[in-house]
Amino acid sequence: MPDDQPIAEAIESTFKQLDLDRTRLDNHLVPEPTSLLAQDDAGSWQKLLLSQHVWSALASTYDHLDLFRSTVHARKIYPTATYSLLRGGLLGACQAMWLLEPEEAAERQERGRRYSEEWYVKRIQWQQTFLPSAGASRKSGLVYAPQLEAHEAGRVASQLELLKSDLELLRMARTSSATYNSTAIIERVAEVVFPDDLHARRSLVREWRRLGGDAHVLGWSLMTQETSWGTLDEDGKTSATVQGSLASLGNSYFSVWLVYRRAWQRLDELLVPTRA
């Protein structure tokens, strides 16, 4: 659509930097030993280092934005799927920023442990679905859970015990009782990235909730897009046709992009070598 051209050009102007990010992400992140991030790693839960949580979040955000780039190049915008895609990118960018933003090293490290706890909880839940007791079955040619041999099931159970043991030890190492909450992370990052711009803070949180309408298939978010209404019937009802557009996606994309770039900036601040 002609009205999409200015926003398409603005979005495309970010792609050169996205290519540079890809080159950087092709390498492992190994913080310089005297950097603040290396010190954070030393004080982190050693099996899941803070720096690696951050690197994973940035890589995930890059991947979501790179896929979005494909839809821009093709000029094919999906009314729901593209928004769900950007929600994943927004979460990754905000998680990276949330892990890095505290000025106090102790708080950064504790956030890393809190994030690690969430990692273990979700990993254990997934692992448990492989146990025979999870009710493995096959229907209509789809494998709902693999039929494990006895020795394989034993390995799964043993790994589960190790994961649960790690989780227990990690919880003992926690220095706060705060729990992981993605919406609270979004709200906190909005305050950090846009401290002097109330409109921008509200916009970021609003995008998180609006994109969630698509990610959770709630339907109401469709009505926030370009909508054409049909003729009212006798019951006062009408049909609606929803069409996606880059213009409607622009704010969503740049909500992700601005946080993503600030997270990279903060990472580089913590990677600077310090004097002994």
Side-chain angles (χ1 to χ4, degrees):
M1 296 177 64
D3 290 345
D4 283 348
Q5 190 58 33
I7 190 63
E9 292 175 357
I11 291 172
E12 288 170 344
S13 71
T14 68
F15 292 164
K16 182 177 181 180
Q17 179 61 54
L18 204 59
D19 288 333
L20 295 174
D21 295 341
R22 170 56 189 267
T23 300
R24 188 171 178 182
L25 287 164
D26 280 341
N27 299 296
H28 295 299
L29 174 61
V30 181
E32 210 281 338
T34 64
S35 68
L36 292 177
L37 190 58
Q39 295 170 35
D40 286 340
D41 277 352
S44 297
W45 176 250
Q46 289 303 292
K47 294 188 177 182
L48 294 170
L49 299 178
L50 176 67
S51 64
Q52 302 312 303
H53 283 321
V54 171
W55 204 238
S56 176
L58 289 173
S60 176
T61 304
Y62 164 83
D63 209 38
H64 284 75
L65 295 179
D66 194 35
L67 181 54
F68 177 77
R69 169 164 46 178
S70 300
T71 72
V72 175
H73 285 329
R75 291 297 193 271
K76 185 173 183 179
I77 304 302
Y78 302 85
T80 62
T82 315
Y83 293 88
S84 298
L85 173 66
L86 287 176
R87 179 176 163 98
L90 182 58
L91 181 58
C94 286
Q95 285 178 163
M97 188 62 206
W98 175 77
L99 286 165
L100 293 170
E101 64 96 355
E103 289 297 329
E104 303 80 11
E107 176 60 19
R108 292 194 300 270
Q109 293 165 22
E110 173 58 11
R111 287 189 185 184
R113 288 187 287 269
R114 192 194 313 181
Y115 192 85
S116 292
E117 182 175 351
E118 178 72 2
W119 187 98
Y120 275 109
V121 168
K122 299 305 183 185
R123 176 70 172 79
I124 288 169
Q125 289 174 349
W126 176 77
Q127 184 90 11
Q128 287 173 329
T129 65
F130 287 90
L131 292 175
S133 59
S137 62
R138 295 174 183 268
K139 295 181 180 179
S140 304
L142 297 177
V143 179
Y144 293 103
Q147 303 288 347
L148 298 177
E149 300 292 338
H151 69 284
E152 294 173 326
R155 286 203 299 269
V156 169
S158 296
Q159 189 175 34
L160 265 174
E161 290 306 310
L162 287 173
L163 290 168
K164 290 178 179 179
S165 175
D166 283 349
L167 177 57
E168 183 178 351
L169 291 172
L170 170 61
R171 284 172 169 164
M172 294 172 61
R174 291 284 311 276
T175 59
S176 75
S177 59
T179 58
Y180 176 90
N181 182 288
S182 56
T183 298
I185 287 174
I186 302 297
E187 293 170 344
R188 173 58 185 169
V189 167
E191 295 174 355
V192 172
V193 176
F194 307 110
D196 303 316
D197 191 335
L198 177 61
H199 174 75
R201 293 197 299 272
R202 288 180 172 176
S203 179
L204 184 66
V205 176
R206 186 166 57 244
E207 285 300 320
W208 169 249
R209 296 192 182 282
R210 182 260 176 276
L211 298 173
D214 289 297
H216 294 283
V217 202
L218 298 175
W220 62 261
S221 51
L222 286 169
M223 297 299 99
T224 68
Q225 298 190 50
E226 295 184 6
T227 307
S228 300
W229 297 95
T231 304
L232 289 175
D233 60 23
E234 295 179 355
D235 295 329
K237 298 177 181 178
T238 183
S239 61
T241 301
V242 178
Q243 180 177 354
S245 69
L246 280 176
S248 68
L249 278 164
N251 200 57
S252 302
Y253 178 82
F254 281 104
S255 293
V256 181
W257 181 256
L258 291 174
V259 176
Y260 174 65
R261 294 265 41 95
R262 181 64 185 92
W264 275 111
Q265 180 185 357
R266 178 59 175 158
L267 173 63
D268 286 336
E269 291 170 2
L270 296 176
L271 286 174
V272 174
T274 58
R275 293 181 179 180

